[in-house]
Amino acid sequence: MAQQFDRLDERLRGMIAQQHIFFTATTVTGARINISPRSTEWFRVADDKTVLYLDQTGSGNETAAHLPKDGRMTIMLCSFAETPMILRLFGKGDVTPYSHPSYAALRDTYFDGTEPPGARQIVRLQIDLVQTSCGYGVPFFTFEGERDTLDKWAEARTPEDLKAYRRQKNARSLDGIETWAAKDA
């Protein structure tokens, strides 16, 4: 039932556009595997081999620890609606911190110059394999709306507060791997 492709076609782009959540997975040798759910609100398909998302400050930053060391990343989307499908995007990822010179150009190009409160980085995946599977075992869910809790949390903090938080909570992974936030929060 699984099919493999070397790029995203219009049908798969359409499936992505209908989703409200995606999951990103990363790891490095000797570290825990990290799987994180994300809203597709800040997810973009750049071209048929590249996707990216604008990431907000959170309680951890495993992706930023893993990608510079290993680069492997998988993004998974599941259809919870009428037409079943699981879509996995495999490839090499990179992280561009908000303070990096190319961050603003990426934000302006792919996010119309906007960003959510507490934006900390843009994560990009260069796809080397696309795989679909049936999704017959994925249950139906109804989307009720986006949570505003993270936005409100970030809006209640000054830029200096966010930098201090990232230095405290985002500088190292669960396994002690340093991220860009250790030097440049």
Side-chain angles (χ1 to χ4, degrees):
M1 289 187 251
Q3 293 183 297
Q4 295 181 343
F5 310 91
D6 65 351
R7 64 189 67 249
L8 293 170
D9 60 21
E10 287 305 313
R11 177 181 70 94
L12 298 175
R13 285 179 184 223
M15 183 273 192
I16 291 170
Q18 294 175 356
Q19 305 317 307
H20 298 284
I21 188 172
F22 69 97
F23 301 86
T24 181
T26 59
T27 194
V28 295
T29 301
R32 290 170 177 83
I33 298 169
N34 182 65
I35 302 171
S36 295
R38 300 273 187 254
S39 166
T40 57
E41 181 178 10
W42 295 99
F43 186 89
R44 301 293 185 269
V45 176
D47 58 45
D48 60 357
K49 300 276 285 183
T50 311
V51 296
L52 44 99
Y53 64 93
L54 215 158
D55 189 39
Q56 293 174 270
T57 300
S59 57
N61 202 1
E62 301 300 296
T63 303
H66 294 163
L67 290 181
K69 301 265 184 241
D70 183 277
R72 292 178 301 149
M73 181 165 68
T74 301
I75 290 178
M76 183 182 78
L77 299 105
C78 301
S79 173
F80 297 106
E82 189 175 315
T83 305
M85 181 190 289
I86 299 170
L87 175 64
R88 290 182 182 89
L89 310 174
F90 299 93
K92 293 289 185 176
D94 61 72
V95 175
T96 303
Y98 75 99
S99 59
H100 192 276
S102 63
Y103 175 90
L106 287 170
R107 182 198 59 214
D108 294 349
T109 300
Y110 297 105
F111 302 96
D112 297 322
T114 61
E115 62 189 11
R120 67 178 170 189
Q121 60 201 9
I122 294 172
V123 179
R124 177 176 37 203
L125 176 65
Q126 299 294 327
I127 299 166
D128 61 35
L129 178 65
V130 176
Q131 180 174 307
T132 62
S133 55
C134 67
Y136 295 164
V138 176
F140 288 106
F141 282 99
T142 303
F143 178 70
E144 293 186 28
E146 298 288 346
R147 292 184 195 267
D148 62 358
T149 311
L150 189 56
D151 287 351
K152 287 181 178 179
W153 176 87
E155 287 168 346
R157 282 150 183 80
T158 67
E160 293 76 26
D161 292 339
L162 289 169
K163 286 180 183 182
Y165 182 88
R166 286 190 286 263
R167 276 193 300 274
Q168 179 185 20
K169 299 284 189 176
N170 294 174
R172 295 193 175 277
S173 73
L174 292 170
D175 298 301
I177 302 166
E178 193 173 87
T179 74
W180 61 266
K183 300 177 186 81
D184 181 20

